[in-house]
Amino acid sequence: MDEIEFSLERAEKSIIKKFHKQLFRKFTKAVATYNLVEEGDKIAVCISGGKDSWLMAKLFQELKKHNKFPFELVFLVMDPGYNSENRKLIESNADKLSVPITVFESDIFDNVLHIEKSPCYLCARMRRGHLYHNAQKLGCNKIALGHHYDDVIETILMGMLYGGQVQTMMPVLNSSNFEGMKLIRPMYLIREKDIIAWRNYNGLKFLQCACKFTAEKQQEEGKRKKVKELIRALAADDPEIEQNIFKSVENVNLSTVIAYKDKKGVKHYFDE
């Protein structure tokens, strides 16, 4: 297959034309449904370098063009210790996609490199904390992450099958450590296959995985891959399976739940 010559005009136009129903409409639906963007917001759009966060950046730029009330955007990139090749790819894509990134550096990779127990969990928490801290320093009141619909339903099943709990990624969260800050996920209703289709249509190449913790990362990705395959197999027989998984955490009937935890982590049983 011939390599597609990239065009910024084509990439931007495809978001509101060719992929309008799959991408922009679902983006704006999530924003409206979960009240993710409000007048006067200053949002740190967090870019990891992968396909999801780059598309999120372009969707936010498009939203700002058409929105009826003012809000500000900062396109925030954290370098946790990327090698020069990965850093160069991020900077190249920022230039190509006309996204004015603000980069800050951290030594997270080095700090957790020799941690034996759950380095991925620690890395994720540290990255989130650094993003909140730097976004707040820039005057932002929200950070936006690029998790999508497939991440949501996979997380539901992974929690049940591997964690023995019912939970998922929330579309919006109030930070417990950074007062006045919120985390939002505006890609919440967008399917991964449509993100991939947009990327391929425009001939774009993004960062895959720059993680240094190969063993644990492979173990975690192995679980997620199994869950992906399970969902795919079930959906082949019943196309409503994915939607039903998503809806399951919207339709929780507490009268039929043996126990649940409140916001403080206190467990309540059905007979209380």
Side-chain angles (χ1 to χ4, degrees):
M1 181 181 294
D2 294 335
E3 187 172 337
I4 298 169
E5 183 177 351
F6 176 78
S7 162
L8 177 61
E9 182 182 2
R10 170 189 168 98
E12 292 180 336
K13 187 176 290 186
S14 66
I15 288 174
I16 57 172
K17 295 292 184 180
K18 182 176 177 64
F19 297 103
H20 181 270
K21 181 179 179 180
Q22 301 95 321
L23 299 179
F24 193 62
R25 184 187 295 178
K26 289 186 177 179
F27 184 81
T28 55
K29 182 179 179 181
V31 166
T33 301
Y34 305 114
N35 196 30
L36 302 184
V37 180
E38 300 167 283
E39 186 171 356
D41 276 346
K42 187 172 183 180
I43 303 168
V45 181
C46 301
I47 299 173
S48 65
K51 66 185 189 313
D52 308 328
S53 58
W54 280 120
L55 175 58
M56 178 175 65
K58 296 307 296 180
L59 286 164
F60 261 118
Q61 286 182 327
E62 203 61 47
L63 180 67
K64 193 167 174 58
K65 290 180 188 175
H66 302 283
N67 215 49
K68 296 178 181 178
F69 58 78
F71 64 92
E72 294 182 63
L73 298 172
V74 174
F75 299 97
L76 195 60
V77 175
M78 178 181 64
D79 183 343
Y82 294 136
N83 61 38
S84 58
E85 184 179 345
N86 288 334
R87 176 67 177 261
K88 186 177 179 180
L89 178 59
I90 290 174
E91 292 170 345
S92 172
N93 279 324
D95 183 62
K96 182 183 291 186
L97 289 165
S98 191
V99 176
I101 59 174
T102 297
V103 182
F104 72 92
E105 298 182 5
S106 72
D107 53 4
I108 291 177
F109 281 174
D110 289 338
N111 285 339
V112 297
L113 185 59
H114 302 294
I115 301 295
E116 293 183 4
K117 187 176 181 180
S118 303
C120 290
Y121 172 77
L122 179 60
C123 180
R125 283 184 62 87
M126 290 179 69
R127 287 164 73 110
R128 188 76 55 83
H130 276 280
L131 287 169
Y132 271 124
H133 176 69
N134 282 273
Q136 197 170 55
K137 277 180 27 177
L138 292 167
C140 298
N141 64 311
K142 292 178 179 176
I143 65 170
L145 301 183
H147 296 114
H148 49 67
Y149 187 95
D150 296 74
D151 290 325
V152 176
I153 62 175
E154 288 162 17
T155 298
I156 294 170
L157 284 191
M158 287 184 72
M160 295 172 65
L161 299 176
Y162 296 109
Q165 57 189 340
V166 177
Q167 65 174 20
T168 190
M169 293 175 172
M170 298 295 289
V172 58
L173 285 170
N174 290 307
S175 173
S176 56
N177 297 317
F178 295 85
E179 188 176 354
M181 294 288 292
K182 289 184 179 182
L183 180 156
I184 60 173
R185 293 184 169 104
M187 306 270 283
Y188 207 73
L189 302 178
I190 295 178
R191 299 305 307 262
E192 185 176 27
K193 63 181 177 62
D194 296 322
I195 299 172
I196 293 171
W198 176 80
R199 179 198 65 189
N200 294 345
Y201 176 78
N202 291 291
L204 288 159
K205 295 179 181 178
F206 298 128
L207 200 61
Q208 294 296 316
C209 179
C211 181
K212 293 183 178 180
F213 312 107
T214 309
E216 182 169 330
K217 186 70 173 179
Q218 286 181 343
Q219 183 180 21
E220 181 69 14
E221 289 303 313
K223 292 177 181 178
R224 189 166 288 275
K225 183 180 179 182
K226 288 178 182 178
V227 169
K228 278 181 180 287
E229 291 171 350
L230 174 61
I231 294 172
R232 191 180 301 117
L234 293 170
D237 293 328
D238 185 346
E240 294 187 0
I241 285 290
E242 292 156 316
Q243 184 180 17
N244 287 340
I245 296 171
F246 186 91
K247 285 184 175 180
S248 69
V249 291
E250 290 185 340
N251 299 314
V252 177
N253 186 339
L254 289 181
S255 66
T256 65
V257 173
I258 296 173
Y260 70 93
K261 290 182 179 179
D262 61 23
K263 289 183 178 180
K264 295 181 179 180
V266 178
K267 182 176 281 190
H268 301 271
Y269 288 90
F270 67 94
D271 60 348
E272 293 181 337

